[in-house]
Amino acid sequence: MSAAASDSPSDFSRVRLQGISRHYGRRRALANVTLDCAAGVVTGLFGPNGAGKSTLLGVLSTFVRPSSGAISYGDRTAEQWGDALRSRIGVLGHDLFLYGDLTAFENLLFFARLYGLPNPGEVVARALDKARLTDRAHDRVGAFSRGLRQRLALERALIHSPQLVLLDEPFTGLDDASAALLIERLRQLATSGAIVVMATHDFDLADGVVDEAVCLSSGRLVPMPGAGPLRQRYRDALSRERA
């Protein structure tokens, strides 16, 4: 086992992006983005559609390679971490990566075994309990509502206790009770020392959980200083950017 693979996740307490840009041909998705995300903090990414939020999450996840700039996870780059890094990252995106023909239990069991977790059945049982889906454990996921699939997918993303959690519009399809459950889980993650980065358009729900907020506008990072409601801080940030 490499030194990187043997490190404790608690050593990975910060992610830094420095001057990150990403171009797709002539289109600029990110422009010189510098951002620091710390353990125990929920960072909210806000911005209009097409502003670069999903691209930034893709860069953080290592699935999108930046065109320029540097990113470090703790004291190492992604290349220095090697394959061990992806086992420290959990991603919930628009594609939920669930199998409709499998039950909720079977879906989570597949990912628990994929990560080589000990006692995978017990891990899955705890995850289903956290999602309030124990009573649906043996139902096919194809019959679930979007909200139930979203709750299950969150536990799929967290099954291996990642240090860096990346969420792209996690409130999609959730009713009030499920949204409250997600907020509770996000607070638990921050308390446990995870680094959480969430892109969302839902200001009212994000107000209850986001610790640090930034805005993306045409690929550029815009600070959202202040302590007021996120919606107003977002509007003020875009106004300053466009002035």
Side-chain angles (χ1 to χ4, degrees):
M1 181 179 293
S2 70
S6 64
D7 283 343
S8 166
S10 62
D11 295 332
F12 172 14
S13 61
R14 191 170 295 275
V15 176
R16 289 189 174 97
L17 298 93
Q18 295 178 302
I20 293 292
S21 294
R22 171 66 190 187
H23 298 83
Y24 295 97
R26 299 175 67 179
R27 184 175 72 85
R28 181 185 62 185
L30 294 174
N32 196 32
V33 171
T34 294
L35 181 64
D36 196 338
C37 302
V41 174
V42 178
T43 299
L45 297 179
F46 301 92
N49 292 332
K53 300 185 299 297
S54 294
T55 299
L56 182 57
L57 292 177
V59 169
L60 284 165
S61 72
T62 75
F63 291 129
V64 175
R65 184 180 294 275
S67 302
S68 60
I71 179 170
S72 59
Y73 303 80
D75 59 357
R76 296 185 180 93
T77 65
E79 290 76 15
Q80 290 169 332
W81 272 101
D83 292 340
L85 177 59
R86 286 188 176 175
S87 69
R88 309 292 179 89
I89 302 174
V91 180
L92 175 62
H94 299 290
D95 190 333
L96 302 183
F97 293 105
L98 298 174
Y99 299 94
D101 291 335
L102 299 181
T103 67
F105 187 93
E106 290 167 341
N107 266 277
L108 294 187
L109 186 64
F110 171 79
F111 285 99
R113 288 174 171 168
L114 187 67
Y115 284 108
L117 302 181
N119 304 313
E122 296 178 11
V123 172
V124 170
R126 289 194 296 269
L128 289 169
D129 180 63
K130 290 174 182 177
R132 307 294 195 268
L133 289 173
T134 299
D135 60 336
R136 303 294 300 271
H138 301 295
D139 293 348
R140 288 178 57 253
V141 169
F144 281 15
S145 67
R146 169 71 191 199
L148 292 183
R149 292 197 304 272
Q150 189 83 351
R151 282 158 54 183
L152 183 66
L154 175 64
E155 297 308 322
R156 185 270 307 157
L158 302 178
I159 196 75
H160 55 302
S161 300
Q163 183 64 9
L164 174 61
V165 179
L166 306 172
L167 308 169
D168 199 351
E169 299 296 343
F171 294 107
T172 299
L174 298 185
D175 58 19
D176 290 345
S178 295
L181 179 61
L182 173 58
I183 289 172
E184 179 185 345
R185 292 289 282 125
L186 293 178
R187 287 173 176 158
Q188 291 170 351
L189 287 168
T191 299
S192 70
I195 304 165
V196 182
V197 184
M198 174 179 67
T200 181
H201 287 99
D202 200 318
F203 295 99
D204 294 334
L205 291 173
D207 257 321
V209 69
V210 165
D211 301 304
E212 302 286 345
V214 294
C215 171
L216 281 171
S217 176
S218 301
R220 297 184 300 274
L221 198 70
V222 182
M224 290 173 53
L230 287 170
R231 188 185 302 274
Q232 187 59 53
R233 290 163 59 190
Y234 169 72
R235 290 171 176 168
D236 291 345
L238 287 185
S239 296
R240 288 193 301 271
E241 173 68 11
R242 294 165 179 169

